[in-house]
Amino acid sequence: MRCLLLLLAAFHSDAFTLNRCVPRASTTSLYAADGPPQYDKFQATLREAEKVGEGSFMLHIDTEDVVEYEPGHVLALEMEAPNADGDDVDSKTSEDAKQNGGWMRGPYTVSRSTDKSIDILVKVVGEKSKLFSIATPGTPLRFGGKFKVPIVEGIDTDTTKRVVLISTGVGVGPCVGAIEKAIEQESFPPIDLIASYRTEDEIVYKDHLEKLQKEHADKFSWKAIITSEQGRISSTADNLRVLTDTNFKSGLEDTHYHLIGNGQMVSEFKAGLQAAGVKDDKVTVEMYFNHKAEIDADAVSRIAAAAALEVAAVPQ
């Protein structure tokens, strides 16, 4: 976590100081002023920026290097700014690009990976993400660093009978990759995905998830929550029934929750699950934004009450 916070801060500072968090070498080392090497970086190219939902794009990235990433790892992704001195990028991005040799950069979570490629799901929320989304095939990229524990790795399968993935927006990207990985493992517990979106058009990989659910009904199920129609998951007790509306048998003590996306959702669910008696090692999290949002105490209470009913049984 400390390394990730340093990564976030470094995008608006003069130099990275994360070399101690780097697991291995790469083909290019970029150096900080008067200091040790920055984290090593891989050279890469964009194969495609695929639109997978309204405002959401999956960046399919290829590299000649052999890489080892898993869904849920966080890395630094860079692309050369089209005009760091012009109007193509906002002032914050432009200033950071100047400090990084003309390359804009940001922390992103891996959705999928092979030994020669990575997929990263981005939401267009500003100039930098817009530039990534409209980049053409063949655009040079750089990436490096490896932070956070991958989703699948963070789950103790020996003590878990059911996994619940709760995401907002593009937080679903790493969840999809983790689900694909988990399904390949015969002993991995069944997974319920609860993916929240503002509108129906924003749903990511709907057809793919439906196919996975149909082909692996004993291993995976998913539901989409549309907040513009239903409100947030935690807004009503009725919405929160989604936590226990499952065909997978489990109890409070052997259900693992992974929370990813909006900081308010993550914080409220983490607090609610803790209040319900869920052990700390059964909750893993990743916040994308809204880190300082005020927690709704009523939402926390509703989550705690819903989770305390976690005695889901297969319908008779």
Side-chain angles (χ1 to χ4, degrees), residues 7 11 16 39 74-78 106-108 142-145 147:
L7 173 64
F11 293 133
F16 290 105
Y39 63 81
V74 175
L75 53 72
L77 180 65
E78 304 186 2
Y108 294 93
R142 306 191 303 204
F143 64 91
F147 311 95

Side-chain angles (χ1 to χ4, degrees), residues 165-173 175 193-197 225 233 258-262 265:
L165 307 177
I166 303 176
S167 68
T168 64
V170 293
V172 75
C175 293
L193 168 65
I194 304 168
S196 178
Y197 303 94
I225 302 295
I233 301 174
H258 183 73
L259 317 170
I260 181 169
N262 186 312
M265 180 279 288

Side-chain angles (χ1 to χ4, degrees), residues 276-291:
V278 177
K279 294 181 179 180
D280 289 346
D281 63 356
K282 290 298 181 187
V283 181
T284 46
V285 306
E286 184 181 351
M287 293 186 187
Y288 279 3
F289 65 97
N290 211 16
H291 296 70

